[in-house]
mmCIF file of all heavy atoms in Angstrom:
data_model
loop_
_atom_site.group_PDB
_atom_site.id
_atom_site.type_symbol
_atom_site.label_atom_id
_atom_site.label_comp_id
_atom_site.label_asym_id
_atom_site.label_seq_id
_atom_site.Cartn_x
_atom_site.Cartn_y
_atom_site.Cartn_z
ATOM 1 N N GLY N 15 120.853 92.690 100.559
ATOM 2 C CA GLY N 15 121.745 93.318 99.595
ATOM 3 C C GLY N 15 121.839 92.546 98.286
ATOM 4 O O GLY N 15 121.078 91.619 98.018
ATOM 5 N N ILE N 16 122.821 92.942 97.457
ATOM 6 C CA ILE N 16 123.034 92.314 96.155
ATOM 7 C C ILE N 16 124.495 91.882 96.037
ATOM 8 O O ILE N 16 125.396 92.633 96.401
ATOM 9 C CB ILE N 16 122.688 93.284 94.999
ATOM 10 C CG1 ILE N 16 121.236 93.765 95.122
ATOM 11 C CG2 ILE N 16 122.918 92.617 93.643
ATOM 12 C CD1 ILE N 16 120.858 94.794 94.075
ATOM 13 N N ARG N 17 124.674 90.679 95.523
ATOM 14 C CA ARG N 17 126.027 90.154 95.342
ATOM 15 C C ARG N 17 126.181 89.683 93.900
ATOM 16 O O ARG N 17 125.252 89.127 93.309
ATOM 17 C CB ARG N 17 126.277 88.993 96.300
ATOM 18 C CG ARG N 17 127.630 88.296 96.124
ATOM 19 C CD ARG N 17 127.846 87.272 97.232
ATOM 20 N NE ARG N 17 126.737 86.324 97.282
ATOM 21 C CZ ARG N 17 126.434 85.601 98.365
ATOM 22 N NH1 ARG N 17 127.114 85.766 99.483
ATOM 23 N NH2 ARG N 17 125.435 84.738 98.325
ATOM 24 N N LEU N 18 127.379 89.928 93.319
ATOM 25 C CA LEU N 18 127.708 89.452 91.984
ATOM 26 C C LEU N 18 128.734 88.325 92.095
ATOM 27 O O LEU N 18 129.697 88.435 92.866
ATOM 28 C CB LEU N 18 128.288 90.583 91.126
ATOM 29 C CG LEU N 18 127.435 91.838 90.930
ATOM 30 C CD1 LEU N 18 128.163 92.820 90.029
ATOM 31 C CD2 LEU N 18 126.080 91.481 90.341
ATOM 32 N N ARG N 19 128.506 87.261 91.333
ATOM 33 C CA ARG N 19 129.462 86.152 91.329
ATOM 34 C C ARG N 19 129.823 85.831 89.882
ATOM 35 O O ARG N 19 128.943 85.736 89.017
ATOM 36 C CB ARG N 19 128.879 84.928 92.028
ATOM 37 C CG ARG N 19 128.903 85.053 93.553
ATOM 38 C CD ARG N 19 128.585 83.744 94.223
ATOM 39 N NE ARG N 19 128.852 83.808 95.651
ATOM 40 C CZ ARG N 19 128.596 82.835 96.513
ATOM 41 N NH1 ARG N 19 128.031 81.713 96.080
ATOM 42 N NH2 ARG N 19 128.874 82.964 97.797
ATOM 43 N N PHE N 20 131.136 85.633 89.638
ATOM 44 C CA PHE N 20 131.588 85.346 88.281
ATOM 45 C C PHE N 20 132.989 84.750 88.349
ATOM 46 O O PHE N 20 133.652 84.770 89.402
ATOM 47 C CB PHE N 20 131.592 86.631 87.435
ATOM 48 C CG PHE N 20 132.347 87.781 88.053
ATOM 49 C CD1 PHE N 20 133.674 88.028 87.734
ATOM 50 C CD2 PHE N 20 131.721 88.617 88.963
ATOM 51 C CE1 PHE N 20 134.367 89.079 88.305
ATOM 52 C CE2 PHE N 20 132.395 89.676 89.546
ATOM 53 C CZ PHE N 20 133.724 89.909 89.215
ATOM 54 N N THR N 21 133.421 84.206 87.226
ATOM 55 C CA THR N 21 134.745 83.577 87.141
ATOM 56 C C THR N 21 135.497 84.153 85.951
ATOM 57 O O THR N 21 134.961 84.216 84.833
ATOM 58 C CB THR N 21 134.626 82.048 86.992
ATOM 59 O OG1 THR N 21 133.921 81.515 88.112
ATOM 60 C CG2 THR N 21 136.014 81.410 86.920
ATOM 61 N N ILE N 22 136.751 84.567 86.175
ATOM 62 C CA ILE N 22 137.604 85.094 85.116
ATOM 63 C C ILE N 22 138.962 84.406 85.207
ATOM 64 O O ILE N 22 139.596 84.411 86.269
ATOM 65 C CB ILE N 22 137.778 86.625 85.225
ATOM 66 C CG1 ILE N 22 136.438 87.326 84.976
ATOM 67 C CG2 ILE N 22 138.829 87.130 84.238
ATOM 68 C CD1 ILE N 22 136.508 88.831 85.079
ATOM 69 N N SER N 23 139.378 83.790 84.101
ATOM 70 C CA SER N 23 140.680 83.108 84.025
ATOM 71 C C SER N 23 140.836 82.082 85.144
ATOM 72 O O SER N 23 141.902 81.961 85.768
ATOM 73 C CB SER N 23 141.827 84.129 84.091
ATOM 74 O OG SER N 23 141.724 85.048 83.012
ATOM 75 N N GLY N 24 139.785 81.370 85.431
ATOM 76 C CA GLY N 24 139.829 80.324 86.443
ATOM 77 C C GLY N 24 139.732 80.829 87.866
ATOM 78 O O GLY N 24 139.722 80.029 88.808
ATOM 79 N N HIS N 25 139.673 82.148 88.046
ATOM 80 C CA HIS N 25 139.590 82.717 89.396
ATOM 81 C C HIS N 25 138.156 83.152 89.683
ATOM 82 O O HIS N 25 137.547 83.863 88.895
ATOM 83 C CB HIS N 25 140.530 83.917 89.525
ATOM 84 C CG HIS N 25 140.570 84.477 90.919
ATOM 85 N ND1 HIS N 25 141.288 83.892 91.928
ATOM 86 C CD2 HIS N 25 139.956 85.561 91.458
ATOM 87 C CE1 HIS N 25 141.130 84.598 93.036
ATOM 88 N NE2 HIS N 25 140.319 85.611 92.781
ATOM 89 N N ARG N 26 137.617 82.704 90.814
ATOM 90 C CA ARG N 26 136.248 83.032 91.184
ATOM 91 C C ARG N 26 136.194 84.334 91.977
ATOM 92 O O ARG N 26 137.020 84.561 92.870
ATOM 93 C CB ARG N 26 135.629 81.907 92.019
ATOM 94 C CG ARG N 26 135.463 80.602 91.242
ATOM 95 C CD ARG N 26 134.830 79.538 92.116
ATOM 96 N NE ARG N 26 134.629 78.296 91.382
ATOM 97 C CZ ARG N 26 134.113 77.189 91.912
ATOM 98 N NH1 ARG N 26 133.749 77.182 93.190
ATOM 99 N NH2 ARG N 26 133.973 76.106 91.169
ATOM 100 N N TYR N 27 135.220 85.165 91.633
ATOM 101 C CA TYR N 27 135.049 86.440 92.314
ATOM 102 C C TYR N 27 133.657 86.525 92.928
ATOM 103 O O TYR N 27 132.679 86.004 92.383
ATOM 104 C CB TYR N 27 135.223 87.601 91.328
ATOM 105 C CG TYR N 27 136.623 87.764 90.794
ATOM 106 C CD1 TYR N 27 137.023 87.100 89.644
ATOM 107 C CD2 TYR N 27 137.545 88.603 91.438
ATOM 108 C CE1 TYR N 27 138.303 87.245 89.140
ATOM 109 C CE2 TYR N 27 138.817 88.759 90.944
ATOM 110 C CZ TYR N 27 139.195 88.079 89.794
ATOM 111 O OH TYR N 27 140.465 88.233 89.294
ATOM 112 N N SER N 28 133.587 87.191 94.064
ATOM 113 C CA SER N 28 132.305 87.479 94.721
ATOM 114 C C SER N 28 132.338 88.938 95.148
ATOM 115 O O SER N 28 133.205 89.345 95.929
ATOM 116 C CB SER N 28 132.094 86.576 95.939
ATOM 117 O OG SER N 28 130.874 86.893 96.596
#
Side-chain angles (χ1 to χ4, degrees):
I16 303 176
R17 176 173 55 202
L18 302 181
R19 283 191 169 176
F20 52 95
T21 301
I22 294 179
S23 300
H25 185 78
R26 295 181 178 179
Y27 292 89
S28 178

